């Protein structure tokens, strides 16, 4: 059987285990013309506080019916990302979780950038932004590079950890949120990333990106110097709780390994030349005429079969 034939037979089983992601964004034509555009060529804000927002559908193989979604908000300047699962794309859920993002943001929100989906471009959400004096922009239709930062977070933060499975009940809502809380702590406090700063040219005349030194989003926030003292203390506490601890007991190598390496063994231990010699070897089972019969492949079957 050729590899191509094997892949063809295994394709339905692989698709069932790892379902592909589906796009469920529906355009909003009423408010779209009244919201200013922001493209990928526009400069980023000088400081933190500007967020790109998008939703991820946990619909599995089919977009029919009701299913959960995840709201992602990321700051392109610092990389600080917040993710939260919601029941559906109703404006009540989107507005409530947007308020949660505003409260959890370490800095005041200076603006929000949406795609052209109707979950964002509706009167209640836009009115909520107006009440909190948050400017709103949108990307161009079918131009995902305009929201490149949040699209990257959707793949790395959400789909990579929650996979493409379907979540649809209120009882399952706690599971993605518990997962998201661990993911954002790990990504915001522990994992450094680089950011493109400028362009340069190689000796062959090709353009090449220049990146800064790797830093975590938490370190970039501290370097900005815009955090309030209370927020700095709260983030320091979260960072201390998230940082891996080194208070576990020290690792003692196996006495046989220390003997082979020429090191002195621990007091009170017996040296063994080979680990396999110190372990009892399993003996093959003995067959008796009264215990059963032997099957076609030599397996011992119980009596009566």
């Amino acid at each position: 059987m050729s590899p191509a034939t094997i892949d063809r037979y295994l394709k339905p089983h692989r698709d069932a285990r790892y379902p592909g992601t589906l796009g469920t964004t529906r355009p909003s034509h009423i408010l779209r013309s009244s919201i200013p555009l922001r493209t990928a060529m526009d400069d980023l804000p000088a400081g933190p506080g500007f967020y790109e927002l998008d939703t991820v559908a946990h619909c599995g193989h089919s977009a029919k019916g009701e299913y959960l979604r995840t709201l992602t908000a990321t700051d392109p300047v610092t990389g600080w990302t917040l993710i939260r699962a919601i029941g559906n794309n109703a404006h009540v859920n989107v507005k409530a979780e947007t308020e949660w993002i505003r409260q959890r943001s370490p800095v005041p929100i200076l603006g929000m950038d949406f795609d052209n989906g109707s979950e964002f471009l509706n009167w209640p959400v836009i009115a909520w932004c107006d009440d909190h004096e948050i400017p709103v922009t949108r990307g161009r239709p079918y131009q995902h590079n305009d929201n490149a930062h949040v699209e990257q977070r959707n793949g790395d933060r959400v789909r990579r950890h929650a996979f493409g499975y379907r979540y649809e009940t209120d009882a399952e809502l706690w599971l993605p949120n518990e997962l998201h809380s661990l993911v954002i702590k790990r990504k915001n406090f522990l994992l450094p990333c680089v950011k493109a700063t400028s362009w340069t040219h190689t000796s062959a005349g090709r353009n090449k990106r220049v990146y800064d030194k790797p830093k975590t989003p938490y370190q970039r926030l501290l370097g900005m110097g815009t955090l309030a003292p209370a927020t700095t203390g709260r983030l320091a506490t979260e960072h201390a709780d998230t940082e891996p601890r080194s208070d576990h007991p020290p690792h003692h190598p196996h006495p046989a390994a220390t003997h082979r390496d020429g090191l002195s063994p621990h007091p009170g231990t017996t040296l063994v030349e080979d680990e396999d010699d110190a372990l009892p070897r399993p003996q093959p089972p003995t067959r008796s005429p009264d215990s059963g019969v032997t099957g076609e492949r030599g397996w011992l079957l119980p009596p009566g079969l």
Side-chain angles (χ1 to χ4, degrees):
M1 184 179 294
S2 65
T5 304
I6 296 175
D7 293 337
R8 186 170 63 253
Y9 277 103
L10 292 179
K11 186 179 186 305
H13 302 281
R14 291 172 176 171
D15 293 343
R17 185 173 183 181
Y18 303 104
T21 57
L22 301 178
T24 59
T25 301
R26 297 294 179 266
S28 175
H29 301 284
I30 300 177
L31 289 174
R32 190 167 63 181
S33 59
S34 61
I35 297 177
L37 282 174
R38 175 182 170 271
T39 66
M41 302 305 295
D42 295 339
D43 295 333
L44 294 176
F50 181 83
Y51 285 90
E52 294 181 2
L53 280 77
D54 196 11
T55 56
V56 178
H58 299 290
C59 58
H61 292 286
S62 174
K64 296 181 180 179
E66 293 291 336
Y67 43 85
L68 305 184
R69 288 170 167 86
T70 291
L71 179 61
T72 308
T74 183
D75 187 349
V77 177
T78 61
W80 190 269
T81 303
L82 298 171
I83 49 180
R84 186 78 171 174
I86 58 178
N88 52 32
N89 273 357
H91 66 84
V92 177
N93 298 327
V94 175
K95 187 172 67 172
E97 299 308 326
T98 308
E99 175 64 25
W100 178 87
I101 291 174
R102 187 184 71 87
Q103 296 178 0
R104 294 290 300 175
S105 176
V107 294
I109 297 181
L110 303 179
M112 287 185 174
D113 183 72
F114 306 137
D115 58 9
N116 293 272
S118 58
E119 67 271 20
F120 297 117
L121 302 187
N122 55 73
W123 294 109
V125 175
I126 299 302
W128 178 89
C129 295
D130 293 338
D131 294 339
H132 293 84
E133 299 181 353
I134 298 176
V136 175
T137 58
R138 65 178 179 88
R140 294 169 296 178
Y142 309 107
Q143 299 293 330
H144 296 288
N145 282 343
D146 291 348
N147 309 93
H149 301 88
V150 71
E151 293 289 351
Q152 190 272 339
R153 289 345 186 249
N154 286 340
D156 182 64
R157 266 68 165 174
V158 182
R159 295 190 178 101
R160 184 177 181 181
H161 296 86
F163 302 101
Y165 301 135
R166 185 182 181 93
Y167 304 94
E168 57 184 12
T169 63
D170 294 336
E172 296 174 333
L173 186 60
W174 68 271
L175 180 61
N177 280 329
E178 185 177 1
L179 175 65
H180 294 339
S181 63
L182 300 176
V183 171
I184 60 179
K185 286 183 178 180
R186 179 172 178 264
K187 298 289 186 177
N188 289 336
F189 290 103
L190 301 181
L191 293 186
C193 58
V194 296
K195 295 187 68 65
T197 56
S198 61
W199 290 90
T200 185
H201 300 281
T202 62
S203 58
R206 296 182 178 179
N207 294 332
K208 182 181 179 181
R209 273 289 196 180
V210 177
Y211 298 91
D212 60 359
K213 294 182 179 180
K215 295 180 181 179
T216 62
Y218 172 65
Q219 292 173 341
R220 295 185 186 277
L221 274 174
L222 294 180
M224 292 290 179
T226 58
L227 294 178
T231 305
T232 303
R234 177 176 62 84
L235 295 181
T237 302
E238 293 183 12
H239 179 261
D241 295 338
T242 309
E243 187 72 20
R245 302 180 182 274
S246 58
D247 54 357
H248 55 79
H251 171 69
H252 297 289
H254 194 277
T258 59
H259 177 65
R260 294 191 188 99
D261 297 339
L263 303 177
S264 60
H266 295 281
T269 58
T270 303
L271 295 180
V272 182
E273 292 296 335
D274 194 352
E275 297 179 8
D276 297 335
D277 297 337
L279 301 177
R281 297 181 180 275
Q283 300 296 329
T286 58
R287 301 178 181 178
S288 61
D290 299 335
S291 60
V293 295
T294 304
E296 297 179 356
R297 299 187 179 182
W299 294 343
L300 189 63
L301 304 178
L305 295 180

